[in-house]
Amino acid sequence: GDSVTQMEGPVTLSEEAFLTINCTYTATGYPSLFWYVQYPGEGLQLLLKATKADDKGSNKGFEATYRKETTSFHLEKGSVQVSDSAVYFCALMGGFKTIFGAGTRLFVKA
Amino acid sequence: EAQVTQNPRYLITVTGKKLTVTCSQNMNHEYMSWYRQDPGLGLRQIYYSMNVEVTDKGDVPEGYKVSRKEKRNFPLILESPSPNQTSLYFCASSSQGIGLAGTYNEQFFGPGTRLTVL
């Protein structure tokens, strides 16, 4: 069946450091891919999405490119801030089902 | 304000006592879904609904029931809760948004319901 694999956390970075969180997937067909973010005590909210191969999703300085050839959707940000500290989830949606990765917790130190 | 609401937000109950967690959205979304979040496992889909009276199982449906009698509501029912159903539960909704390439729209999540079954 479909699956999503994220790099394990936690990831600890200093402010203004470069961020990469790896996400790879297996799926039949052509799923849509998403990154969601969860701040402490809250539900998930969409960070960015891509719906077809080579699409690049971007929002708030975060970017991810839908790479069909490597089945990946890695999240990147050039300069993280303390306010980016949260848990990040990679997800795919195909055939009305949604599969989430295990989540990666990010800590950003001032 | 566009939102997904869940009630209750916190619940402590005992094994075998039937309970219902309600979910409601005010965005006229066709798609609704329930997830449970457990440490190290991320979110796992329990059930989803493509529209009124249309529901299907996700990856972990055992021990749960759902119904979709109205477009805005999608309650989650635990007929006989057990301790392994202790978890954080999220309801979500999205517009159908199925494009020509079978693309999907993002989901909007409720605030979560923390359930403890003793």
Side-chain angles (χ1 to χ4, degrees):
Chain A
D2 295 356
S3 66
V4 174
T5 303
Q6 279 182 245
M7 62 185 286
E8 288 188 24
V11 174
T12 302
L13 297 173
S14 297
E15 210 164 21
E16 299 183 3
F18 185 86
L19 169 71
T20 300
I21 300 178
N22 290 338
C23 172
T24 57
Y25 67 91
T26 58
T28 54
Y30 303 94
S32 297
L33 301 176
F34 305 85
W35 277 101
Y36 288 89
V37 59
Q38 184 179 34
Y39 298 102
E42 298 183 10
L44 281 70
Q45 53 187 277
L46 178 74
L47 183 58
L48 53 84
K49 71 175 185 180
T51 55
K52 61 182 187 298
D54 300 324
D55 266 3
K56 177 186 278 189
S58 61
N59 185 27
K60 300 180 181 179
F62 291 90
E63 294 182 340
T65 301
Y66 190 149
R67 300 282 189 205
K68 192 168 184 299
E69 64 277 12
T70 54
T71 60
S72 65
F73 192 53
H74 304 321
L75 182 68
E76 296 182 336
K77 186 176 186 183
S79 176
V80 294
Q81 305 300 313
V82 172
S83 57
D84 293 327
S85 297
V87 181
Y88 293 82
F89 291 93
C90 184
L92 71 80
M93 193 170 183
F96 296 102
K97 282 195 171 184
T98 308
I99 307 293
F100 281 85
T104 303
R105 185 176 295 277
L106 171 66
F107 292 105
V108 181
K109 303 179 297 182
Chain B
E1 180 191 355
Q3 59 182 349
V4 178
T5 57
Q6 295 178 226
N7 281 292
R9 294 288 313 279
Y10 302 89
L11 179 60
I12 300 174
T13 189
V14 295
T15 299
K17 186 177 181 182
K18 181 179 179 179
L19 67 92
T20 299
V21 184
T22 64
C23 173
S24 183
Q25 51 94 4
N26 63 1
M27 295 169 278
N28 201 36
H29 284 167
E30 293 85 3
Y31 184 91
M32 297 186 75
S33 183
W34 276 103
Y35 301 89
R36 58 178 292 173
Q37 182 178 14
D38 301 290
L41 297 177
L43 278 78
R44 293 177 293 167
Q45 193 170 38
I46 302 170
Y47 270 95
Y48 59 93
S49 170
M50 289 81 80
N51 215 323
V52 175
E53 303 290 4
V54 183
T55 62
D56 207 349
K57 297 176 181 178
D59 284 337
V60 289
E62 295 78 20
Y64 305 95
K65 283 177 56 177
V66 293
S67 67
R68 186 91 181 272
K69 293 184 169 54
E70 305 166 283
K71 198 172 187 180
R72 63 184 293 126
N73 296 324
F74 190 45
L76 179 69
I77 302 157
L78 284 72
E79 296 267 3
S80 183
S82 62
N84 64 11
Q85 293 179 297
T86 292
S87 187
L88 179 58
Y89 291 85
F90 288 101
C91 180
S93 72
S94 74
S95 57
Q96 192 79 329
I98 305 301
L100 290 175
T103 61
Y104 297 87
N105 288 336
E106 66 269 25
Q107 294 176 57
F108 294 82
F109 284 80
T113 295
R114 187 166 293 282
L115 172 65
T116 301
V117 183
L118 302 174

